[in-house]
Amino acid sequence: MLDDIISASGTITASELAAIPCKRQEGFLNLLSDVITQIGFGIEKFVPTLTSLLLAICEQAEEVLVNNIKLLSMKDGDEDGYNDAATLSRIGKIRSLCFLRIADVLNKFGSTIDFCARGCRLWKAMRTSVDALPNTVINADNAPSLLQLIEKISSNRSLIPLLEQSDESVVAVFKCIAGTTRSNVMSCVLKIIDGLLTDGGTLDKDEPSCTKTTGQNLVLKNIHLLISQFTIRLKDEAQIANLDDEILSGSNSSKRTKVQHHGLQLNILCRVSELLVSAEETADHHVKTMEDLCKLLTPLLKFDSHPSQLELLRTIKSLVPKLSADDAFLHYQGLSKLLGPNKNEIGIQSKEHRQLLSDAVGAICCLQGTAKTGSIIDALQGLNSVSTSYVDEHNFDKLLPVINALGTSSDSQGSWLQLACSESESLMKVSQCGDPRLLLPLVYTCFHLLYDQDGVVSRAAN
């Protein structure tokens, strides 16, 4: 008898569920939460039945709500569409609870039971909710239940193939990244993207994988939309250049949330960049996306040696060679300035940071294709060279010859004027010199070397 009831429950349809009062459906969903928490794997053999029942409830709730929307549009806002507002509100709550219980089931049993066969039915039952997801998060204080469900799917390597069955769900999640998205919702969205990039947290973030995972392919497939949404969000928040300013205001808990949020957002942007650079495809739209990424990331570089800055520099260094010469040169002055002092304070001191920064600047210089770019790059790398024999020391065997050459007469190899002029130009005709902006990284590096802790060298020399 009990087996018959369980079997019948697993085959119940949405139309049959309509005969069961909403109050009982809601009670069942609340009770199921406690059952999963308290009994756990003790109900594993009933999971297929429970999953079918949850999907049926979801289908029934979705059908009622969609039909009501159609009715309202047909009646053009007539009162008849609102006669059963209390019931509709309860059905909406049932749908939300259903999403949460499905998330609980997938989270608990996703590693031991294959749910992929139910993927088509799952996404069909949630199609309308998925389409409406970007609108439901506008100014929402907390992540909606559907977004929490997708987060659970992305956090489990065995469940990520479910997202492959619904490209609309990934697109909807990316569209949730907007200027109107609040911190808690944004945190949930970033965790979803992080799960896709790390294959449910099984991949080391610092070690790129040889082959792309299902999650990474899903991100790469919609990477242009993702970068566009990040661009919109950062521009709307006016934080592309000063992402840390927001941290200074608000309560302590608010500060903590925003710092963590900033760190994950920055980490994801860097890993998305690496994913794009490693893509075999080099179409024009890929180049345009890389340009947008550079515009997002370059202003986030600061005059410090924080580990996050190291990650940023590695990312920018990998992006620059993929850009056009004109677009890359837009970042030349900004990157060069980071090689010098920070106004009246010392600049970046970390030798590793400075080497990566000089490599990125050198890559931009290479794209310009002038005759003297090779000499400028060699001089820049010499000024920022690190000793292999002593910890955190300059390689003076490379640094001093460059400084001595810069200080020689105008017609000498490696002098300022000789580096600024092309081979075909007369060194004696300063007005015919090439673009002097190419010397900016050398100038700023020299200012850094001249900096004195008690004051800049001009003040200390008096």
Side-chain angles (χ1 to χ4, degrees), residues 97-158:
L97 284 172
C98 198
F99 291 159
L100 293 175
R101 294 300 82 80
I102 293 174
D104 291 340
V105 170
L106 294 177
N107 186 50
K108 191 73 175 180
F109 306 101
S111 300
T112 57
I113 297 176
D114 185 9
F115 289 95
C116 291
R118 301 176 184 271
C120 290
R121 185 182 178 188
L122 173 69
W123 296 117
K124 185 177 180 181
M126 301 190 301
R127 184 174 58 233
T128 305
S129 299
V130 169
D131 292 340
L133 182 60
N135 292 327
T136 61
V137 302
I138 296 175
N139 292 322
D141 292 324
N142 297 305
S145 53
L146 177 56
L147 200 62
Q148 295 178 50
L149 168 57
I150 297 175
E151 182 192 342
K152 296 297 183 184
I153 295 175
S154 68
S155 64
N156 191 317
R157 182 179 186 178
S158 303

Side-chain angles (χ1 to χ4, degrees), residues 332-383:
Y332 193 72
Q333 183 173 353
L335 293 176
S336 299
K337 193 174 182 180
L338 292 170
L339 289 167
N342 181 16
K343 297 181 180 178
N344 64 333
E345 297 177 1
I346 196 165
I348 299 173
Q349 292 180 280
S350 167
K351 302 294 188 293
E352 187 177 6
H353 283 68
R354 296 188 67 82
Q355 276 194 316
L356 281 171
L357 192 53
S358 62
D359 288 344
V361 172
I364 297 175
C365 204
C366 273
L367 293 174
Q368 304 312 305
T370 61
K372 285 297 191 295
T373 53
S375 300
I376 294 173
I377 294 169
D378 290 341
L380 180 61
Q381 291 177 343
L383 290 176

Side-chain angles (χ1 to χ4, degrees), residues 107-409:
N107 186 50
K108 191 73 175 180
F109 306 101
S111 300
T112 57
I113 297 176
D114 185 9
F115 289 95
C116 291
R118 301 176 184 271
C120 290
R121 185 182 178 188
L122 173 69
W123 296 117
K124 185 177 180 181
M126 301 190 301
R127 184 174 58 233
T128 305
S129 299
V130 169
D131 292 340
L133 182 60
N135 292 327
T136 61
V137 302
I138 296 175
N139 292 322
D141 292 324
N142 297 305
S145 53
L146 177 56
L147 200 62
Q148 295 178 50
L149 168 57
I150 297 175
E151 182 192 342
K152 296 297 183 184
I153 295 175
S154 68
S155 64
N156 191 317
R157 182 179 186 178
S158 303
L159 297 174
I160 290 178
L162 280 173
L163 292 172
E164 197 175 20
Q165 299 181 28
S166 173
D167 190 52
E168 293 80 7
S169 62
V170 178
V171 170
V173 169
F174 288 178
K175 286 183 177 179
C176 290
I177 302 173
T180 55
T181 305
R182 295 189 177 178
S183 184
N184 288 337
V185 179
M186 190 65 189
S187 179
C188 186
V189 172
L190 292 175
K191 288 176 182 176
I192 293 172
I193 302 171
D194 182 66
L196 294 176
L197 290 172
T198 60
D199 203 24
T202 60
L203 297 179
D204 190 341
K205 296 178 182 180
D206 298 324
E207 292 184 10
S209 56
C210 298
T211 57
K212 292 182 177 61
T213 63
T214 300
Q216 289 173 344
N217 284 325
L218 286 172
V219 173
L220 189 58
K221 184 177 180 180
N222 301 285
I223 200 166
H224 312 294
L225 172 64
L226 178 61
I227 300 307
S228 297
Q229 294 302 122
F230 266 120
T231 303
I232 292 169
R233 175 173 174 79
L234 291 174
K235 283 183 178 178
D236 285 351
E237 291 182 352
Q239 290 185 44
I240 188 167
N242 297 293
L243 197 59
D244 305 290
D245 288 352
E246 190 183 49
I247 301 170
L248 300 177
S249 60
S251 64
N252 290 334
S253 61
S254 176
K255 290 181 186 179
R256 231 178 359 255
T257 301
K258 287 169 183 174
V259 169
Q260 294 171 355
H261 174 222
H262 164 227
L264 183 56
Q265 181 171 253
L266 192 58
N267 183 275
I268 285 173
L269 279 171
C270 290
R271 281 185 285 140
V272 166
S273 303
E274 292 168 5
L275 186 65
L276 187 58
V277 169
S278 65
E280 296 177 0
E281 202 177 334
T282 55
D284 290 340
H285 57 277
H286 272 60
V287 175
K288 178 64 171 65
T289 304
M290 290 181 194
E291 291 169 358
D292 292 339
L293 268 170
C294 250
K295 291 175 184 177
L296 279 176
L297 296 175
T298 304
L300 300 179
L301 289 169
K302 307 293 182 184
F303 282 95
D304 63 48
S305 303
H306 193 274
S308 64
Q309 297 291 298
L310 201 61
E311 188 177 10
L312 261 177
L313 285 169
R314 288 196 188 103
T315 303
I316 292 170
K317 177 189 170 185
S318 65
L319 283 172
V320 164
K322 305 286 185 179
L323 307 182
S324 65
D326 291 339
D327 286 304
F329 199 72
L330 294 175
H331 308 290
Y332 193 72
Q333 183 173 353
L335 293 176
S336 299
K337 193 174 182 180
L338 292 170
L339 289 167
N342 181 16
K343 297 181 180 178
N344 64 333
E345 297 177 1
I346 196 165
I348 299 173
Q349 292 180 280
S350 167
K351 302 294 188 293
E352 187 177 6
H353 283 68
R354 296 188 67 82
Q355 276 194 316
L356 281 171
L357 192 53
S358 62
D359 288 344
V361 172
I364 297 175
C365 204
C366 273
L367 293 174
Q368 304 312 305
T370 61
K372 285 297 191 295
T373 53
S375 300
I376 294 173
I377 294 169
D378 290 341
L380 180 61
Q381 291 177 343
L383 290 176
N384 291 283
S385 59
V386 179
S387 174
T388 56
S389 303
Y390 300 96
V391 177
D392 205 29
E393 287 286 345
H394 289 289
N395 185 341
F396 290 100
D397 292 335
K398 292 183 179 180
L399 185 147
L400 292 177
V402 175
I403 291 179
N404 290 332
L406 289 172
T408 55
S409 59

Side-chain angles (χ1 to χ4, degrees), residues 4-22:
D4 293 337
I5 294 175
I6 295 173
S7 178
S9 300
T11 58
I12 194 169
T13 63
S15 56
E16 292 170 339
L17 271 171
I20 301 176
C22 293

Side-chain angles (χ1 to χ4, degrees), residues 447 450-452 454-462:
F447 284 158
L450 289 170
Y451 184 87
D452 188 271
D454 296 328
V456 290
V457 69
S458 59
R459 197 183 318 140
N462 291 332

